[in-house]
Amino acid sequence: MKEFRQIKQSTFWLQILTGVAMAIVVGVTPSAIVSPLTSFLAKGNAFWNGIYMATSMCQYAVPIAAGVLAAGEFKFTMVERASVGLAAFISSGAAVYKNGQWVLVGMGDLINVILITGLSIFAIFMVREHVGSFALIVDSILCGSVVGAIGTWTYTYVHMLSTWIGSIINSFTALQPLVMSILLGLVFALLICTPISAIAIAYTIGLSGLAGGTPSLGITACFMFVAIATYKLNGVGLSIAMFFGSVKMMMTNFVKHPRMLVPIAFVGAVGGLTNSLFFKFTAIPQFAGFGQPASPIQVYSTLQGSVAMKLLLLALAYYVLPLIYGLITFYLFKKYLPVLLTKTIGKSIYQNKCI
């Protein structure tokens, strides 16, 4: 416990968030980028079907990776990291027991993963001075059986948060279309910055039609703005990663500096507004929580007109306009509200330290 007492409580949770954020990015990136491209090729082709299946499976490993990477932030041994990974997966709800067998259902509830990962790390700190060479036995049982069991109990209650948020978002669909689109764009731009799964919420409440197509533009607006804001400080590679869905990598920054979410909420609302006024894209629940590059592929199948016209509309909605109002928003906030983008000493708060 001596080591644990030397760690500040805020630092403890930020280190866990750093590990979880990186796990989300690593696990979701293949599914977000490769799956939409290979889904069509997979039909009737064994090779591409294998690529598609392997890519889709990546997201199911997120809870395990989250536990392992978070434990790595505390310089844990391999046994300790693997043990934390066990507890994280068991508590995630990613696997459910149905009809006598375990079935994978998704990433699970990442908020519960964060809480149980923290509990697992604390438990290991408590016993590591006393177990010695029995660490392999004690750590795996302590985390896998004991803490994991606690996680299955807390999952029910923690998951209520996602259900509650989903019910609020679902109430937006009863509003006037313009107001609905602004609110959906804003909320989903914010959700993508949190451990809460925007995809899971959109699917759970069954967002479809205009309400299904709008969130993707709010999310894409968030991607573009963060890519612009991180460009100079983090380099081209990380900026591109942000635009292609790695915004959760910045989760630690959002927790430390929640004011960063103000311009993100603004561009998200603008993204939703553009869909209501100009594009009127629709989507099914399975794609409602995605931004680009996944959403344009699904939206393409719903559009009417020539191939050139469809591609032009998608380019404007998901690339050109987000770039324009992302740049304008960044310039306006930097000029008139710099406190939302920088620390008091003038250093950008968009510096990423996950990699």
Side-chain angles (χ1 to χ4, degrees), residues 278-294:
F278 307 115
F279 303 109
K280 304 188 184 304
F281 290 158
T282 61
I284 56 178
Q286 290 88 329
F287 285 88
F290 284 97
Q292 67 82 32

mmCIF file with all atom_site columns, all heavy atoms in Angstrom, residues 278-294:
data_model
loop_
_atom_site.group_PDB
_atom_site.id
_atom_site.type_symbol
_atom_site.label_atom_id
_atom_site.label_alt_id
_atom_site.label_comp_id
_atom_site.label_asym_id
_atom_site.label_entity_id
_atom_site.label_seq_id
_atom_site.pdbx_PDB_ins_code
_atom_site.Cartn_x
_atom_site.Cartn_y
_atom_site.Cartn_z
_atom_site.occupancy
_atom_site.B_iso_or_equiv
_atom_site.pdbx_formal_charge
_atom_site.auth_seq_id
_atom_site.auth_comp_id
_atom_site.auth_asym_id
_atom_site.auth_atom_id
_atom_site.pdbx_PDB_model_num
ATOM 1   N N   . PHE A 1 278 ? -29.900 21.076 -45.204 1.00 0.00 ? 278 PHE A N   1
ATOM 2   C CA  . PHE A 1 278 ? -29.442 20.830 -46.565 1.00 0.00 ? 278 PHE A CA  1
ATOM 3   C C   . PHE A 1 278 ? -29.490 19.363 -47.007 1.00 0.00 ? 278 PHE A C   1
ATOM 4   O O   . PHE A 1 278 ? -30.052 19.049 -48.050 1.00 0.00 ? 278 PHE A O   1
ATOM 5   C CB  . PHE A 1 278 ? -28.004 21.344 -46.726 1.00 0.00 ? 278 PHE A CB  1
ATOM 6   C CG  . PHE A 1 278 ? -27.823 22.777 -46.316 1.00 0.00 ? 278 PHE A CG  1
ATOM 7   C CD1 . PHE A 1 278 ? -27.034 23.115 -45.239 1.00 0.00 ? 278 PHE A CD1 1
ATOM 8   C CD2 . PHE A 1 278 ? -28.467 23.805 -47.002 1.00 0.00 ? 278 PHE A CD2 1
ATOM 9   C CE1 . PHE A 1 278 ? -26.865 24.433 -44.844 1.00 0.00 ? 278 PHE A CE1 1
ATOM 10  C CE2 . PHE A 1 278 ? -28.313 25.129 -46.625 1.00 0.00 ? 278 PHE A CE2 1
ATOM 11  C CZ  . PHE A 1 278 ? -27.513 25.443 -45.539 1.00 0.00 ? 278 PHE A CZ  1
ATOM 12  N N   . PHE A 1 279 ? -28.909 18.473 -46.241 1.00 0.00 ? 279 PHE A N   1
ATOM 13  C CA  . PHE A 1 279 ? -28.679 17.113 -46.742 1.00 0.00 ? 279 PHE A CA  1
ATOM 14  C C   . PHE A 1 279 ? -29.812 16.146 -46.425 1.00 0.00 ? 279 PHE A C   1
ATOM 15  O O   . PHE A 1 279 ? -30.171 15.327 -47.261 1.00 0.00 ? 279 PHE A O   1
ATOM 16  C CB  . PHE A 1 279 ? -27.353 16.568 -46.164 1.00 0.00 ? 279 PHE A CB  1
ATOM 17  C CG  . PHE A 1 279 ? -26.180 17.433 -46.490 1.00 0.00 ? 279 PHE A CG  1
ATOM 18  C CD1 . PHE A 1 279 ? -25.554 18.188 -45.502 1.00 0.00 ? 279 PHE A CD1 1
ATOM 19  C CD2 . PHE A 1 279 ? -25.699 17.515 -47.784 1.00 0.00 ? 279 PHE A CD2 1
ATOM 20  C CE1 . PHE A 1 279 ? -24.469 18.993 -45.797 1.00 0.00 ? 279 PHE A CE1 1
ATOM 21  C CE2 . PHE A 1 279 ? -24.607 18.321 -48.096 1.00 0.00 ? 279 PHE A CE2 1
ATOM 22  C CZ  . PHE A 1 279 ? -23.999 19.065 -47.104 1.00 0.00 ? 279 PHE A CZ  1
ATOM 23  N N   . LYS A 1 280 ? -30.333 16.230 -45.229 1.00 0.00 ? 280 LYS A N   1
ATOM 24  C CA  . LYS A 1 280 ? -31.406 15.329 -44.795 1.00 0.00 ? 280 LYS A CA  1
ATOM 25  C C   . LYS A 1 280 ? -31.024 13.859 -44.955 1.00 0.00 ? 280 LYS A C   1
ATOM 26  O O   . LYS A 1 280 ? -31.827 13.029 -45.412 1.00 0.00 ? 280 LYS A O   1
ATOM 27  C CB  . LYS A 1 280 ? -32.713 15.645 -45.538 1.00 0.00 ? 280 LYS A CB  1
ATOM 28  C CG  . LYS A 1 280 ? -33.139 17.108 -45.366 1.00 0.00 ? 280 LYS A CG  1
ATOM 29  C CD  . LYS A 1 280 ? -34.507 17.361 -45.927 1.00 0.00 ? 280 LYS A CD  1
ATOM 30  C CE  . LYS A 1 280 ? -34.879 18.844 -45.849 1.00 0.00 ? 280 LYS A CE  1
ATOM 31  N NZ  . LYS A 1 280 ? -34.807 19.387 -44.489 1.00 0.00 ? 280 LYS A NZ  1
ATOM 32  N N   . PHE A 1 281 ? -29.794 13.533 -44.592 1.00 0.00 ? 281 PHE A N   1
ATOM 33  C CA  . PHE A 1 281 ? -29.334 12.149 -44.634 1.00 0.00 ? 281 PHE A CA  1
ATOM 34  C C   . PHE A 1 281 ? -30.111 11.317 -43.622 1.00 0.00 ? 281 PHE A C   1
ATOM 35  O O   . PHE A 1 281 ? -30.450 11.783 -42.532 1.00 0.00 ? 281 PHE A O   1
ATOM 36  C CB  . PHE A 1 281 ? -27.843 12.058 -44.312 1.00 0.00 ? 281 PHE A CB  1
ATOM 37  C CG  . PHE A 1 281 ? -26.953 12.619 -45.369 1.00 0.00 ? 281 PHE A CG  1
ATOM 38  C CD1 . PHE A 1 281 ? -25.657 13.024 -45.058 1.00 0.00 ? 281 PHE A CD1 1
ATOM 39  C CD2 . PHE A 1 281 ? -27.373 12.759 -46.682 1.00 0.00 ? 281 PHE A CD2 1
ATOM 40  C CE1 . PHE A 1 281 ? -24.820 13.544 -46.032 1.00 0.00 ? 281 PHE A CE1 1
ATOM 41  C CE2 . PHE A 1 281 ? -26.544 13.280 -47.665 1.00 0.00 ? 281 PHE A CE2 1
ATOM 42  C CZ  . PHE A 1 281 ? -25.261 13.672 -47.334 1.00 0.00 ? 281 PHE A CZ  1
ATOM 43  N N   . THR A 1 282 ? -30.368 10.082 -43.979 1.00 0.00 ? 282 THR A N   1
ATOM 44  C CA  . THR A 1 282 ? -31.026 9.151  -43.074 1.00 0.00 ? 282 THR A CA  1
ATOM 45  C C   . THR A 1 282 ? -30.108 7.955  -42.832 1.00 0.00 ? 282 THR A C   1
ATOM 46  O O   . THR A 1 282 ? -29.175 7.715  -43.593 1.00 0.00 ? 282 THR A O   1
ATOM 47  C CB  . THR A 1 282 ? -32.364 8.661  -43.650 1.00 0.00 ? 282 THR A CB  1
ATOM 48  O OG1 . THR A 1 282 ? -32.126 7.981  -44.891 1.00 0.00 ? 282 THR A OG1 1
ATOM 49  C CG2 . THR A 1 282 ? -33.306 9.831  -43.881 1.00 0.00 ? 282 THR A CG2 1
ATOM 50  N N   . ALA A 1 283 ? -30.390 7.223  -41.766 1.00 0.00 ? 283 ALA A N   1
ATOM 51  C CA  . ALA A 1 283 ? -29.572 6.049  -41.458 1.00 0.00 ? 283 ALA A CA  1
ATOM 52  C C   . ALA A 1 283 ? -30.373 5.088  -40.597 1.00 0.00 ? 283 ALA A C   1
ATOM 53  O O   . ALA A 1 283 ? -31.369 5.466  -39.972 1.00 0.00 ? 283 ALA A O   1
ATOM 54  C CB  . ALA A 1 283 ? -28.278 6.447  -40.740 1.00 0.00 ? 283 ALA A CB  1
ATOM 55  N N   . ILE A 1 284 ? -29.947 3.843  -40.584 1.00 0.00 ? 284 ILE A N   1
ATOM 56  C CA  . ILE A 1 284 ? -30.553 2.832  -39.728 1.00 0.00 ? 284 ILE A CA  1
ATOM 57  C C   . ILE A 1 284 ? -29.835 2.841  -38.377 1.00 0.00 ? 284 ILE A C   1
ATOM 58  O O   . ILE A 1 284 ? -28.717 3.364  -38.268 1.00 0.00 ? 284 ILE A O   1
ATOM 59  C CB  . ILE A 1 284 ? -30.466 1.434  -40.368 1.00 0.00 ? 284 ILE A CB  1
ATOM 60  C CG1 . ILE A 1 284 ? -29.006 1.077  -40.692 1.00 0.00 ? 284 ILE A CG1 1
ATOM 61  C CG2 . ILE A 1 284 ? -31.310 1.383  -41.626 1.00 0.00 ? 284 ILE A CG2 1
ATOM 62  C CD1 . ILE A 1 284 ? -28.834 -0.307 -41.285 1.00 0.00 ? 284 ILE A CD1 1
ATOM 63  N N   . PRO A 1 285 ? -30.441 2.294  -37.317 1.00 0.00 ? 285 PRO A N   1
ATOM 64  C CA  . PRO A 1 285 ? -29.842 2.355  -35.974 1.00 0.00 ? 285 PRO A CA  1
ATOM 65  C C   . PRO A 1 285 ? -28.411 1.823  -35.894 1.00 0.00 ? 285 PRO A C   1
ATOM 66  O O   . PRO A 1 285 ? -27.605 2.332  -35.116 1.00 0.00 ? 285 PRO A O   1
ATOM 67  C CB  . PRO A 1 285 ? -30.800 1.508  -35.133 1.00 0.00 ? 285 PRO A CB  1
ATOM 68  C CG  . PRO A 1 285 ? -32.112 1.640  -35.815 1.00 0.00 ? 285 PRO A CG  1
ATOM 69  C CD  . PRO A 1 285 ? -31.790 1.698  -37.282 1.00 0.00 ? 285 PRO A CD  1
ATOM 70  N N   . GLN A 1 286 ? -28.082 0.797  -36.688 1.00 0.00 ? 286 GLN A N   1
ATOM 71  C CA  . GLN A 1 286 ? -26.745 0.196  -36.623 1.00 0.00 ? 286 GLN A CA  1
ATOM 72  C C   . GLN A 1 286 ? -25.643 1.173  -36.997 1.00 0.00 ? 286 GLN A C   1
ATOM 73  O O   . GLN A 1 286 ? -24.486 0.987  -36.609 1.00 0.00 ? 286 GLN A O   1
ATOM 74  C CB  . GLN A 1 286 ? -26.665 -1.038 -37.541 1.00 0.00 ? 286 GLN A CB  1
ATOM 75  C CG  . GLN A 1 286 ? -27.474 -2.229 -37.054 1.00 0.00 ? 286 GLN A CG  1
ATOM 76  C CD  . GLN A 1 286 ? -28.914 -2.210 -37.551 1.00 0.00 ? 286 GLN A CD  1
ATOM 77  O OE1 . GLN A 1 286 ? -29.486 -1.132 -37.759 1.00 0.00 ? 286 GLN A OE1 1
ATOM 78  N NE2 . GLN A 1 286 ? -29.501 -3.371 -37.733 1.00 0.00 ? 286 GLN A NE2 1
ATOM 79  N N   . PHE A 1 287 ? -25.973 2.210  -37.758 1.00 0.00 ? 287 PHE A N   1
ATOM 80  C CA  . PHE A 1 287 ? -24.961 3.165  -38.215 1.00 0.00 ? 287 PHE A CA  1
ATOM 81  C C   . PHE A 1 287 ? -25.163 4.569  -37.637 1.00 0.00 ? 287 PHE A C   1
ATOM 82  O O   . PHE A 1 287 ? -24.381 5.465  -37.917 1.00 0.00 ? 287 PHE A O   1
ATOM 83  C CB  . PHE A 1 287 ? -24.970 3.248  -39.743 1.00 0.00 ? 287 PHE A CB  1
ATOM 84  C CG  . PHE A 1 287 ? -24.334 2.077  -40.430 1.00 0.00 ? 287 PHE A CG  1
ATOM 85  C CD1 . PHE A 1 287 ? -25.079 0.947  -40.742 1.00 0.00 ? 287 PHE A CD1 1
ATOM 86  C CD2 . PHE A 1 287 ? -22.985 2.079  -40.749 1.00 0.00 ? 287 PHE A CD2 1
ATOM 87  C CE1 . PHE A 1 287 ? -24.500 -0.140 -41.363 1.00 0.00 ? 287 PHE A CE1 1
ATOM 88  C CE2 . PHE A 1 287 ? -22.393 0.995  -41.365 1.00 0.00 ? 287 PHE A CE2 1
ATOM 89  C CZ  . PHE A 1 287 ? -23.155 -0.124 -41.680 1.00 0.00 ? 287 PHE A CZ  1
ATOM 90  N N   . ALA A 1 288 ? -26.201 4.751  -36.829 1.00 0.00 ? 288 ALA A N   1
ATOM 91  C CA  . ALA A 1 288 ? -26.535 6.097  -36.348 1.00 0.00 ? 288 ALA A CA  1
ATOM 92  C C   . ALA A 1 288 ? -25.461 6.680  -35.448 1.00 0.00 ? 288 ALA A C   1
ATOM 93  O O   . ALA A 1 288 ? -25.294 7.898  -35.387 1.00 0.00 ? 288 ALA A O   1
ATOM 94  C CB  . ALA A 1 288 ? -27.869 6.069  -35.608 1.00 0.00 ? 288 ALA A CB  1
ATOM 95  N N   . GLY A 1 289 ? -24.708 5.841  -34.731 1.00 0.00 ? 289 GLY A N   1
ATOM 96  C CA  . GLY A 1 289 ? -23.703 6.348  -33.811 1.00 0.00 ? 289 GLY A CA  1
ATOM 97  C C   . GLY A 1 289 ? -22.315 6.467  -34.392 1.00 0.00 ? 289 GLY A C   1
ATOM 98  O O   . GLY A 1 289 ? -21.361 6.765  -33.660 1.00 0.00 ? 289 GLY A O   1
ATOM 99  N N   . PHE A 1 290 ? -22.165 6.240  -35.689 1.00 0.00 ? 290 PHE A N   1
ATOM 100 C CA  . PHE A 1 290 ? -20.861 6.346  -36.348 1.00 0.00 ? 290 PHE A CA  1
ATOM 101 C C   . PHE A 1 290 ? -20.677 7.724  -36.978 1.00 0.00 ? 290 PHE A C   1
ATOM 102 O O   . PHE A 1 290 ? -21.639 8.361  -37.397 1.00 0.00 ? 290 PHE A O   1
ATOM 103 C CB  . PHE A 1 290 ? -20.726 5.291  -37.458 1.00 0.00 ? 290 PHE A CB  1
ATOM 104 C CG  . PHE A 1 290 ? -20.457 3.905  -36.979 1.00 0.00 ? 290 PHE A CG  1
ATOM 105 C CD1 . PHE A 1 290 ? -21.484 2.997  -36.836 1.00 0.00 ? 290 PHE A CD1 1
ATOM 106 C CD2 . PHE A 1 290 ? -19.162 3.498  -36.686 1.00 0.00 ? 290 PHE A CD2 1
ATOM 107 C CE1 . PHE A 1 290 ? -21.238 1.693  -36.407 1.00 0.00 ? 290 PHE A CE1 1
ATOM 108 C CE2 . PHE A 1 290 ? -18.895 2.210  -36.261 1.00 0.00 ? 290 PHE A CE2 1
ATOM 109 C CZ  . PHE A 1 290 ? -19.935 1.305  -36.118 1.00 0.00 ? 290 PHE A CZ  1
ATOM 110 N N   . GLY A 1 291 ? -19.439 8.158  -37.077 1.00 0.00 ? 291 GLY A N   1
ATOM 111 C CA  . GLY A 1 291 ? -19.100 9.312  -37.902 1.00 0.00 ? 291 GLY A CA  1
ATOM 112 C C   . GLY A 1 291 ? -18.507 8.784  -39.194 1.00 0.00 ? 291 GLY A C   1
ATOM 113 O O   . GLY A 1 291 ? -18.720 7.626  -39.567 1.00 0.00 ? 291 GLY A O   1
ATOM 114 N N   . GLN A 1 292 ? -17.759 9.620  -39.867 1.00 0.00 ? 292 GLN A N   1
ATOM 115 C CA  . GLN A 1 292 ? -17.056 9.096  -41.026 1.00 0.00 ? 292 GLN A CA  1
ATOM 116 C C   . GLN A 1 292 ? -15.863 8.268  -40.514 1.00 0.00 ? 292 GLN A C   1
ATOM 117 O O   . GLN A 1 292 ? -15.379 8.538  -39.404 1.00 0.00 ? 292 GLN A O   1
ATOM 118 C CB  . GLN A 1 292 ? -16.624 10.234 -41.965 1.00 0.00 ? 292 GLN A CB  1
ATOM 119 C CG  . GLN A 1 292 ? -15.572 11.160 -41.408 1.00 0.00 ? 292 GLN A CG  1
ATOM 120 C CD  . GLN A 1 292 ? -14.173 10.584 -41.554 1.00 0.00 ? 292 GLN A CD  1
ATOM 121 O OE1 . GLN A 1 292 ? -13.887 9.877  -42.495 1.00 0.00 ? 292 GLN A OE1 1
ATOM 122 N NE2 . GLN A 1 292 ? -13.314 10.861 -40.585 1.00 0.00 ? 292 GLN A NE2 1
ATOM 123 N N   . PRO A 1 293 ? -15.365 7.256  -41.219 1.00 0.00 ? 293 PRO A N   1
ATOM 124 C CA  . PRO A 1 293 ? -15.708 6.895  -42.594 1.00 0.00 ? 293 PRO A CA  1
ATOM 125 C C   . PRO A 1 293 ? -16.843 5.893  -42.726 1.00 0.00 ? 293 PRO A C   1
ATOM 126 O O   . PRO A 1 293 ? -17.238 5.557  -43.848 1.00 0.00 ? 293 PRO A O   1
ATOM 127 C CB  . PRO A 1 293 ? -14.400 6.277  -43.090 1.00 0.00 ? 293 PRO A CB  1
ATOM 128 C CG  . PRO A 1 293 ? -13.851 5.608  -41.888 1.00 0.00 ? 293 PRO A CG  1
ATOM 129 C CD  . PRO A 1 293 ? -14.198 6.507  -40.713 1.00 0.00 ? 293 PRO A CD  1
ATOM 130 N N   . ALA A 1 294 ? -17.376 5.363  -41.617 1.00 0.00 ? 294 ALA A N   1
ATOM 131 C CA  . ALA A 1 294 ? -18.394 4.319  -41.713 1.00 0.00 ? 294 ALA A CA  1
ATOM 132 C C   . ALA A 1 294 ? -19.727 4.847  -42.235 1.00 0.00 ? 294 ALA A C   1
ATOM 133 O O   . ALA A 1 294 ? -20.350 4.235  -43.113 1.00 0.00 ? 294 ALA A O   1
ATOM 134 C CB  . ALA A 1 294 ? -18.586 3.664  -40.345 1.00 0.00 ? 294 ALA A CB  1
#
